Amino acid sequence: MLKRLRLYVLIALAAMILLVAVFGPLLAPDDPFRIDLRNTVRPPGSGHWLGTDTLGRDLFSRLLYGARNSFALTLAMVLIVTIVGAAIGLAAGYIGGFADALAMQAADILLAFPTMVFAIAVAGIMGPSIYHTIIALGAVSWAKYARLTSGLVKDIRRSNYLIQARFGGARLPRIVIKYILPNALPHIVIMTTLDIGEMMITISTLSFLGLVTPPPAPEWGNMIAASRNGMLLYPHMLIYTSMVLIITVVVFNLLGDSLRDFLDPKLSHAHAPRKRSRRNTAKGTGTT
């Protein structure tokens, strides 16, 4: 009951965050691009709820606009790598043999590269751009989905019900839709949800380095970068932006954990300590 309630609360929080990201421009009280040099670095007050930045722009409005930019890129990246990786893993796991070995070797090679280092190297060669960031992150991140899906498909392929379905004349589309996807999809959904927070941190870090969204477009990573020089004199710029990013990542990470407990209870109890039976306890504590 508590796990179900926790899941519902986290789904509600994640939905609220997504709604704010979608309708952020409608909720913004001010133009996030309007420069007002007479009101630079103002602390939070009635005119500006979270204060202003070094150019006098309303920080609350920029956070709302930045939510849309951050989530749009994050969700697009997660969706792309999930579809591509799951499709490659499904094909490799079902075909098996040389195709599976080749796909898994390629995945292992890509997983050996640190994602951040690879993205920085690609951006350094091709130049800073949103599209180059998508290429760099997508080229690495699909591998874990392919490996997960391939392992799941190979387990499902050896199951009795799938063997019976093939002997019964079931064709490949029916096997994939009716037998493979319903069993593999919960695991893929769990990994996708957990990957949202990680991908957001990665994109924000690259944006902090100036490799994703160039100013003046508001994005949480470049907003943190713009506030780091004056964090001792006007800390509100850094504190509010960082807290919004941290809360968002924590909510989606907790949501992924709750989905794992709800969709696959075996994983949550896999490492749970076993209780010793009374008989074994009595034998162990007997006197000599």
Side-chain angles (χ1 to χ4, degrees):
M1 182 63 183
L2 290 176
K3 289 183 179 180
R4 189 180 296 270
L5 178 61
R6 179 171 177 258
L7 177 62
Y8 291 158
V9 170
L10 290 170
I11 289 176
L13 290 175
M16 289 174 57
I17 294 173
L18 288 174
L19 287 174
V20 169
V22 172
F23 298 104
L26 299 177
L27 302 174
D30 199 357
D31 183 1
F33 300 99
R34 186 174 63 87
I35 297 174
D36 185 4
L37 297 179
R38 295 173 300 177
N39 294 309
T40 58
V41 294
R42 285 186 58 184
S46 58
H48 301 279
W49 295 351
L50 299 182
T52 60
D53 63 4
T54 53
L55 296 177
R57 297 171 296 192
D58 184 68
L59 187 58
F60 181 64
S61 300
R62 288 184 64 79
L63 280 175
L64 292 177
Y65 271 80
R68 170 179 283 191
N69 294 333
S70 297
F71 267 102
L73 189 53
T74 298
L75 295 180
M77 280 302 312
V78 171
L79 186 62
I80 290 172
V81 299
T82 299
I83 294 175
V84 172
I88 294 174
L90 192 152
Y94 191 84
I95 296 172
F98 178 75
D100 180 62
L102 182 63
M104 293 305 101
Q105 284 294 328
D108 289 339
I109 293 173
L110 290 173
L111 288 172
F113 286 96
T115 304
M116 192 68 64
V117 175
F118 188 82
I120 292 174
V122 171
I125 295 173
M126 303 176 66
S129 168
I130 293 178
Y131 303 106
H132 297 163
T133 301
I134 291 176
I135 293 172
L137 295 179
V140 177
S141 301
W142 67 268
K144 55 185 176 183
Y145 290 93
R147 176 160 284 284
L148 171 68
T149 308
S150 175
L152 293 171
V153 171
K154 284 186 282 189
D155 290 339
I156 297 169
R157 191 181 60 182
R158 292 191 293 264
S159 61
N160 292 329
Y161 61 85
L162 189 58
I163 294 174
Q164 293 174 2
R166 280 190 287 187
F167 277 123
R171 301 196 175 192
L172 181 59
R174 179 179 174 83
I175 290 174
V176 172
I177 295 173
K178 187 174 180 180
Y179 298 101
I180 294 179
L181 285 181
N183 289 282
L185 199 58
H187 301 271
I188 298 173
V189 170
I190 292 169
M191 177 174 280
T192 300
T193 308
L194 288 170
D195 206 27
I196 291 175
E198 181 182 351
M199 187 67 70
M200 182 167 288
I201 288 290
T202 302
I203 291 174
S204 296
T205 304
L206 293 174
S207 182
F208 180 89
L209 298 174
L211 301 177
V212 183
T213 307
E219 196 276 334
W220 290 346
N222 63 28
M223 289 175 65
I224 293 175
S227 62
R228 72 186 188 276
N229 293 328
M231 60 182 179
L232 297 179
L233 298 176
Y234 28 90
H236 65 277
M237 289 175 54
L238 180 64
I239 291 174
Y240 291 127
T241 309
S242 301
M243 287 302 298
V244 167
L245 178 61
I246 291 170
I247 291 172
T248 302
V249 171
V250 169
V251 166
F252 279 96
N253 285 344
L254 292 177
L255 178 59
D257 289 336
S258 294
L259 280 175
R260 179 178 56 192
D261 295 338
F262 187 76
L263 295 177
D264 192 1
K266 294 179 182 179
L267 291 178
S268 60
H269 299 293
H271 302 288
R274 290 186 175 182
K275 293 184 179 179
R276 299 177 63 186
S277 64
R278 292 184 178 180
R279 181 178 297 178
N280 292 337
T281 303
K283 289 182 179 180
T285 57
T287 56
T288 57

